[in-house]
Amino acid sequence: MSSLSVHFAVILTLYYLLIFLIGIFGLRKTRTQEDFLTAGRSIGPWVGGAVLAATQISAGTLVGTVGRHYATGVSWVWVWPGLWCGWLISAVFVGPKLREFGAVTIPDYLAARFNSQAVRVLSAIFIILGYMILLVAQYQACGVIFQAIFGIRPIYAMTLLIVSTLVYTILGGIRSSSYIDFLQILIVTCGLLLAVPVLIYHFGGLQLAGRYLASLDARLTGSWYDWKQIFGYSLAFGLAIASAPYEMVRFYSMRDKATVRYAIGVGFLFQAIIGGSVLIIGVMTRAIFPYLQHGDQASSVMAMNVLPPIAGSLFIVAMISAIMSNVNSILLVVSAGVSHDLYAKMINPQATEKRRLLFNRLSIVVLSVLPVWFGCNATPMSNPS
């Protein structure tokens, strides 16, 4: 085994052990379906903010956005202000109202708002279908990472991802997920911050890298996109952040409206650090490896060939943890749609809490397996956020 493989195996094992212990803690605190889906509404601002950031910082960020900067240079960074505007809209208008309402799921809120169970069913179905597609992208990204670094077939990487994420998702629901997301966002931030100075030093400085990138293509250090494209992307991502169900349901687990606002501020801070780091990593990797076959390979190739073994292993674990966080959030949202909004509210309203909790956990298992075939057969991804 290479030095990177050994360090990676040790760090990943320790990481999995820690999230398993947090999952056991969550299991001991979970007695009802509402506990499973809202953590007893006990999450504070720092953990809540980390959860919001970890939910949004996914495979698309550490693989797709790094790849986007690798392919198109610095101008993609102007998409981030659109995301942050979405956070501000969420902080002022969306989050506090949802938390004050005190529902368990987004379809709960919509059903009450429009006084219609048909709205509950339709919104639950749309959420399930939409996020199952997003789940395919996360599986695919995991396959890309392991295949690029270790030559492992994507199906084995996806199996590892599913099993490891299922363990803590099934055990403790939102409570385990929240504390593990806090751990994950710290790992992601540390991994990125370790990579940035190493890359700059490896090439000989930002100015030298800038001149070299301009010689490859002037648009890499200038404007690859026109203002209409940037505005369109920013608007799309900003609206998505302001109204994404897998972000909004996290508000239900927080203590009160003030906690929601503080948590969004904490999430904004993490995203600013991560966005700047991802920009530098993408363009510096282009300077060091200018002719990769696909931009999605940039993160993996950089971690394997430039970073020291410990830092490279931490960076790879950061990528995996970001994917796990996103998969966990998606599974909780879609399983809530199946178990809470369709089963408990429409099919079997008299179901006991024990049966509802069991159905929730079973639906997570089933829904986690369904997208595997699509993840194995999809073309290489390059999601921008």
Side-chain angles (χ1 to χ4, degrees):
M1 295 179 69
S2 67
S3 179
L4 176 65
S5 298
V6 173
H7 286 89
F8 173 74
V10 171
I11 292 175
L12 188 64
T13 300
L14 293 174
Y15 172 67
Y16 281 158
L17 177 61
L18 187 54
I19 64 175
F20 176 74
L21 293 175
I22 296 175
I24 294 297
F25 166 77
L27 176 64
R28 294 169 62 89
K29 295 285 187 176
T30 301
R31 294 291 180 267
T32 66
Q33 187 181 59
E34 185 164 342
D35 282 342
F36 191 84
L37 296 175
T38 68
R41 310 191 193 276
S42 62
I43 302 301
W46 279 96
V47 173
V51 167
L52 295 175
T55 301
Q56 197 274 319
I57 301 298
S58 65
T61 305
L62 298 189
V63 178
T65 303
V66 170
R68 182 72 70 171
H69 282 301
Y70 176 93
T72 65
V74 300
S75 60
W76 186 253
V77 77
W78 293 110
V79 170
W80 284 94
L83 288 170
W84 296 334
C85 287
W87 281 114
L88 292 177
I89 293 172
S90 187
V92 175
F93 300 108
V94 180
K97 178 176 288 189
L98 288 177
R99 179 61 190 88
E100 185 177 29
F101 182 75
V104 175
T105 65
I106 298 302
D108 265 349
Y109 174 81
L110 293 175
R113 172 67 177 79
F114 295 101
N115 192 28
S116 170
Q117 293 304 310
V119 170
R120 176 193 298 279
V121 173
L122 286 175
S123 60
I125 291 173
F126 285 139
I127 288 171
I128 292 166
L129 293 177
Y131 280 106
M132 290 299 285
I133 295 171
L134 183 57
L135 197 59
V136 173
Q138 306 308 309
Y139 287 2
Q140 184 189 0
C142 184
V144 168
I145 293 169
F146 275 86
Q147 190 169 42
I149 297 175
F150 303 109
I152 297 175
R153 290 180 59 191
I155 184 62
Y156 299 133
M158 293 178 196
T159 301
L160 176 64
L161 172 68
I162 291 169
V163 172
S164 57
T165 308
L166 278 179
V167 168
Y168 74 86
T169 304
I170 290 174
L171 288 177
I174 286 286
R175 192 185 305 274
S176 295
S177 168
S178 297
Y179 289 107
I180 290 170
D181 278 351
F182 182 72
L183 171 66
Q184 288 169 334
I185 203 65
L186 292 179
I187 292 174
V188 169
T189 304
C190 290
L192 291 171
L193 292 178
L194 282 173
V196 167
V198 173
L199 286 168
I200 294 173
Y201 175 79
H202 183 86
F203 194 84
L206 286 173
Q207 288 186 343
L208 181 60
R211 289 195 295 270
Y212 178 66
L213 289 170
S215 72
L216 292 175
D217 190 327
R219 293 176 298 170
L220 291 173
T221 55
S223 297
W224 191 283
Y225 304 95
D226 61 40
W227 71 267
K228 293 180 181 179
Q229 291 173 307
I230 291 295
F231 177 77
Y233 285 127
S234 298
L235 181 63
F237 295 136
L239 291 174
I241 286 298
S243 59
Y246 74 148
E247 294 278 358
M248 292 191 292
V249 295
R250 299 295 193 163
F251 299 140
Y252 293 140
S253 65
M254 297 182 194
R255 294 171 188 160
D256 48 37
K257 292 194 297 182
T259 300
V260 169
R261 290 197 173 96
Y262 283 120
I264 290 174
V266 172
F268 179 90
L269 174 64
F270 278 119
Q271 286 208 9
I273 296 171
I274 291 169
S277 301
V278 163
L279 163 64
I280 296 173
I281 289 170
V283 297
M284 291 304 299
T285 303
R286 179 64 182 269
I288 298 169
F289 303 101
Y291 302 112
L292 293 180
Q293 185 177 6
H294 199 282
D296 288 344
Q297 299 172 338
S299 296
S300 303
V301 170
M302 177 274 298
M304 183 169 55
N305 294 285
V306 179
L307 299 183
I310 294 179
S313 299
L314 182 61
F315 188 86
I316 297 168
V317 171
M319 290 194 290
I320 294 170
S321 69
I323 295 171
M324 290 174 65
S325 174
N326 215 250
V327 169
N328 163 260
S329 297
I330 293 170
L331 288 176
L332 286 169
V333 169
V334 296
S335 69
V338 172
S339 62
H340 177 78
D341 295 300
L342 298 182
Y343 175 73
K345 292 294 184 179
M346 304 301 298
I347 298 173
N348 188 11
Q350 283 74 43
T352 64
E353 283 294 340
K354 185 177 180 180
R355 184 175 291 274
R356 293 183 183 193
L357 196 55
L358 176 62
F359 195 88
N360 209 310
R361 287 171 167 145
L362 289 175
S363 64
I364 288 174
V365 174
V366 173
L367 291 167
S368 69
V369 175
L370 290 179
V372 170
W373 184 89
F374 297 97
C376 289
N377 291 279
T379 55
M381 60 167 281
S382 188
N383 290 338
S385 67

